[in-house]
Amino acid sequence: MRQLYRPKHLNGKTIRQYSTTFLLLGSMSSFASAPAIHAMYAEQSFEHALQQSMVAEFALEYGDTATALHNYTVLAIRNDSTLIKQRALDVALEYNDLQAALDIATHWVEQEPQDVPALFYLSHIALKAHKYDLAAKTLDKIVSIDPSADLEQILAGISPEFAQDQEILRKALRNSQEKNNPSILALIAALEAQDGLYVQALQNINRALRQRPKSTSFILMKANLLMALQDDAATQQWFAKASQNNPKNIDLRLAEARYYIQMNQQQRALSKLESIIKDHPKAEEALFIAGLTSIDLKQDQKAEQYLVELRSSAKYQNEAYYYLAINAQRKQHYETAQTYYRMVGGSLYMVSRRNMLSIFEKQGQLDDGLRFLTQERVNYPLHASFLYQAQADILKKMGNKKAALALLDEAIQALPDDPELIYAEVLLLDPYADRDKLDQTLKQLLQLEPNSPTYLNAYAYTLALQNRRLKEARLYAERALNFAPEQASILDTLGYIAFLQNDFDTAVKVLGQAYTLSQNPNIGIRYAKALYMQGALPQFSEVLQQLKKNHANHPQLQQLDSLILPVNIKKS
């Protein structure tokens, strides 16, 4: 299917790029405000597009969006430049001025009625602005210019949120002049599917398929609708028929394989993938999925066979090396696994290095792990924070806490604004012996990220352990809870502080919530103590019995058991 041009900036998120002229004139901002610059040029003709663009960009820098939108709207209407029109639309969408965007797109279409990008912009904006009649008419025009146009992207991210609006749009599309056009039928089907009207959607996509039986998007939409209807037999039959009728369509055959993976039929999926690879030996996605499926099936040789083919792939190289390493590690070929892990970069860099360190630890080679991480800091300075933390963790495991703290001090000097490094040091500092340094470090953390629930909770809990500045600690815990209202560790901290303040009602309430969320025995013991101090002895006994049942060997349970008065409560 021929791919129709789609605008790239429909979401309005753009990066402003200034010309050399803008950069040379940047010093003007030190002497004149945006309104002054606007006044300077107000009398000049809009033929001077560059000057007016500069005015608009300076206005944006000074927060004067009204001036910027006005200038760009007028420029877009009076100028033939497509770039200016697109920039004007970017600005209007970025600042959520749908009316300005609608005006610009409407004038663009009036000036160039056969311009498909302009029509795409107008239909998208009309849908976003709930101008459904205009959207339908514009869609009609698009499909009259190109009947094979795939319109599904227009709905992406702007489909009406409310059922009433969705029904208005469906009605507008059904009443459009091109209501029998397959692309319009596909849009209606997509909207119906969003509302759970799968049977109606299936009827409409079948109508679309009768006109365009080889459309990949239509075939896949029908498959998704059959899956939504949980009709596995019909889904399998449809995929088989589509693959048979379109043997050269790799996307369809891959979708069929992914379906069987989703249905936990890995062996059948692998057979489908191997068939694709036989016909298309360089099909990278098929090779990658076949490699992972082989790992799931513990067919190690096949996994390596497929993944090795991707070592030079621009798209799958890192993933291929990573899963080759996983495959080797599972076979306990540790040297091979480490070799592959060293080749992994990108988003899998950190997890690959963690896996390498687990191999060093498993083999009792933590010193080698330390040397490896030191070299990695040279090779990958962008990951220095992670690597410092990993080294400190190894030193801690080796029982050398002093060296770990010294290393983190060195790291923080090199990266003073890295909160993760500072927090790593917080976790190593002793709340009693290192009280002053811990206090200073926690304050530094909150200066960097004042609204982090993790760091607020860390400060609150540290003060609670030290049993000082409890009023301040409680404020920190309450602030943390505002940002993470159902986090058991924060509820535990607040309950502990309330307990220390003899506010047993609050302690029971929040510790009860924390224990329900986490079932952590330490939180449960704190909760039981709060119940005892509140005088709720039956509830105390109930929690104690539950703790005994689930954590019989916990060392603090005997202490709790001694609190029960035999006169009042008999042990079961």
Side-chain angles (χ1 to χ4, degrees):
M1 183 181 69
R2 182 163 67 85
Q3 291 295 313
L4 192 62
Y5 170 87
R6 295 190 189 96
K8 294 181 180 179
H9 302 296
L10 289 178
N11 63 4
K13 292 180 180 177
T14 56
I15 299 173
R16 250 175 243 147
Q17 295 180 332
Y18 293 95
S19 68
T20 305
T21 308
F22 286 170
L23 293 173
L24 288 171
L25 294 175
S27 61
M28 290 172 59
S29 62
S30 302
F31 303 100
S33 66
I37 297 170
H38 174 61
M40 185 187 305
Y41 290 110
E43 301 299 322
Q44 296 186 20
S45 167
F46 271 89
E47 293 175 0
H48 302 298
L50 175 61
Q51 293 176 338
Q52 294 300 332
S53 297
M54 288 169 57
V55 172
E57 294 295 338
F58 280 127
L60 286 174
E61 284 297 297
Y62 281 90
D64 185 3
T65 55
T67 297
L69 283 170
H70 170 77
N71 276 20
Y72 267 129
T73 301
V74 176
L75 272 173
I77 292 169
R78 298 189 182 183
N79 198 285
D80 293 333
S81 169
T82 299
L83 288 175
I84 286 179
K85 289 181 174 65
Q86 287 181 337
R87 176 60 180 149
L89 281 171
D90 286 341
V91 172
L93 290 170
E94 186 175 352
Y95 291 95
N96 202 32
D97 193 327
L98 291 180
Q99 188 55 55
L102 202 58
D103 290 342
I104 294 164
T106 301
H107 282 287
W108 189 357
V109 169
E110 287 175 355
Q111 287 177 334
E112 301 178 58
Q114 301 298 309
D115 190 298
V116 173
L119 290 165
F120 260 101
Y121 267 117
L122 181 58
S123 57
H124 180 96
I125 295 163
L127 285 174
K128 194 170 184 178
H130 297 195
K131 305 288 186 181
Y132 300 126
D133 290 337
L134 175 61
K137 290 177 182 177
T138 310
L139 291 171
D140 286 349
K141 193 159 189 177
I142 291 174
V143 293
S144 68
I145 295 171
D146 185 351
S148 66
D150 182 358
L151 306 179
E152 292 179 46
Q153 289 295 321
I154 291 177
L155 282 177
I158 57 158
S159 181
E161 181 180 354
F162 301 107
Q164 183 179 358
D165 288 339
Q166 290 175 1
E167 178 54 35
I168 292 170
L169 177 55
R170 285 198 297 270
K171 185 177 180 181
L173 292 173
R174 289 193 198 106
N175 294 332
S176 69
Q177 294 178 3
E178 297 288 339
K179 61 185 177 183
N180 294 319
N181 181 280
S183 294
I184 298 292
L185 288 168
L187 278 180
I188 295 171
L191 287 165
E192 288 169 337
Q194 287 178 0
D195 204 29
L197 304 173
Y198 301 127
V199 175
Q200 288 178 225
L202 191 59
Q203 291 171 353
N204 279 312
I205 202 62
N206 279 333
R207 289 174 62 196
L209 278 163
R210 281 195 286 271
Q211 298 180 61
R212 287 169 58 189
K214 291 190 174 294
S215 168
T216 302
S217 61
F218 292 1
I219 292 170
L220 293 179
M221 184 183 289
K222 179 172 179 176
N224 289 331
L225 288 168
L226 291 170
M227 282 188 265
L229 288 166
Q230 298 183 344
D231 192 338
D232 294 334
T235 305
Q236 292 179 28
Q237 289 173 5
W238 176 244
F239 268 127
K241 180 181 177 181
S243 296
Q244 184 178 359
N245 292 341
N246 302 275
K248 295 183 180 180
N249 191 324
I250 297 180
D251 291 335
L252 288 180
R253 295 171 70 184
L254 281 170
E256 183 182 16
R258 283 193 292 265
Y259 165 73
Y260 285 117
I261 291 171
Q262 184 180 330
M263 298 298 292
N264 291 319
Q265 297 183 35
Q266 276 82 2
Q267 188 59 59
R268 193 168 181 180
L270 185 58
S271 297
K272 299 289 182 183
L273 291 163
E274 288 174 335
S275 175
I276 297 171
I277 293 167
K278 182 180 178 181
D279 295 337
H280 307 276
K282 300 298 182 182
E284 291 189 347
E285 188 172 357
L287 287 164
F288 182 63
I289 300 174
L292 299 192
T293 307
S294 299
I295 290 175
D296 286 343
L297 292 168
K298 297 185 178 179
Q299 297 183 20
D300 299 331
Q301 285 187 329
K302 279 189 176 182
E304 189 164 358
Q305 172 191 339
Y306 296 130
L307 293 172
V308 161
E309 292 293 319
L310 298 169
R311 288 179 300 175
S312 59
S313 165
K315 183 175 182 181
Y316 291 107
Q317 184 185 64
N318 285 320
E319 287 81 359
Y321 279 128
Y322 178 75
Y323 287 106
L324 281 166
I326 292 287
N327 196 43
Q329 187 174 355
R330 193 169 67 181
K331 293 189 291 184
Q332 297 185 352
H333 297 170
Y334 295 127
E335 289 186 10
T336 302
Q338 287 181 320
T339 299
Y340 282 133
Y341 278 135
R342 288 174 191 270
M343 305 297 290
V344 177
S347 61
L348 292 171
Y349 174 84
M350 288 192 285
V351 68
S352 67
R353 271 45 179 190
R354 287 194 187 101
N355 289 356
M356 277 195 72
L357 294 176
S358 72
I359 294 174
F360 282 122
E361 185 174 0
K362 189 179 185 71
Q363 296 184 311
Q365 299 173 343
L366 290 179
D367 285 325
D368 291 340
L370 280 175
R371 285 190 289 272
F372 164 72
L373 290 170
T374 300
Q375 185 59 47
E376 285 288 282
R377 282 198 276 120
V378 176
N379 296 338
Y380 298 93
L382 288 176
H383 293 288
S385 174
F386 160 74
L387 295 165
Y388 272 122
Q389 292 173 65
Q391 281 186 292
D393 188 54
I394 288 179
L395 288 167
K396 182 183 174 183
K397 287 176 180 177
M398 295 171 72
N400 198 343
K401 181 179 171 182
K402 184 177 179 181
L405 284 168
L407 180 71
L408 288 173
D409 279 338
E410 174 193 329
I412 291 167
Q413 287 180 4
L415 302 164
D417 295 328
D418 189 309
E420 291 184 5
L421 275 175
I422 299 169
Y423 186 59
E425 186 169 59
V426 164
L427 296 177
L428 282 177
L429 291 170
D430 186 280
Y432 310 106
D434 302 313
R435 193 175 85 169
D436 291 340
K437 183 171 183 179
L438 188 54
D439 202 55
Q440 177 186 350
T441 307
L442 285 163
K443 283 179 180 176
Q444 185 181 357
L445 259 184
L446 290 183
Q447 285 175 350
L448 291 171
E449 294 194 15
N451 296 327
S452 165
T454 301
Y455 303 154
L456 286 164
N457 186 52
Y459 207 166
Y461 189 68
T462 299
L463 292 173
L465 285 175
Q466 297 166 349
N467 198 10
R468 68 191 184 98
R469 291 160 50 194
L470 294 179
K471 186 175 180 181
E472 180 183 347
R474 185 161 178 165
L475 289 174
Y476 288 143
E478 288 169 345
R479 276 183 62 198
L481 206 57
N482 285 334
F483 294 111
E486 292 192 5
Q487 191 165 314
S489 60
I490 300 174
L491 288 163
D492 177 43
T493 299
L494 180 58
Y496 182 34
I497 294 166
F499 183 91
L500 293 173
Q501 293 177 317
N502 297 325
D503 181 2
F504 301 120
D505 290 343
T506 300
V508 164
K509 179 182 176 182
V510 295
L511 287 170
Q513 286 179 269
Y515 184 50
T516 300
L517 288 168
S518 70
Q519 293 299 304
N520 181 289
N522 294 321
I523 296 176
I525 288 166
R526 235 175 233 154
Y527 177 40
K529 288 179 180 178
L531 286 167
Y532 184 85
M533 295 303 295
Q534 191 190 39
L537 296 184
Q539 292 92 329
F540 164 76
S541 180
E542 183 181 339
V543 172
L544 177 57
Q545 296 309 316
Q546 187 184 70
L547 286 166
K548 283 179 170 182
K549 180 180 177 181
N550 298 330
H551 310 282
N553 298 320
H554 198 286
Q556 293 188 44
L557 286 181
Q558 187 175 359
Q559 179 190 10
L560 280 182
D561 211 17
S562 67
L563 295 175
I564 296 182
L565 301 176
V567 175
N568 297 326
I569 301 174
K570 295 181 180 180
K571 295 182 181 179
S572 59

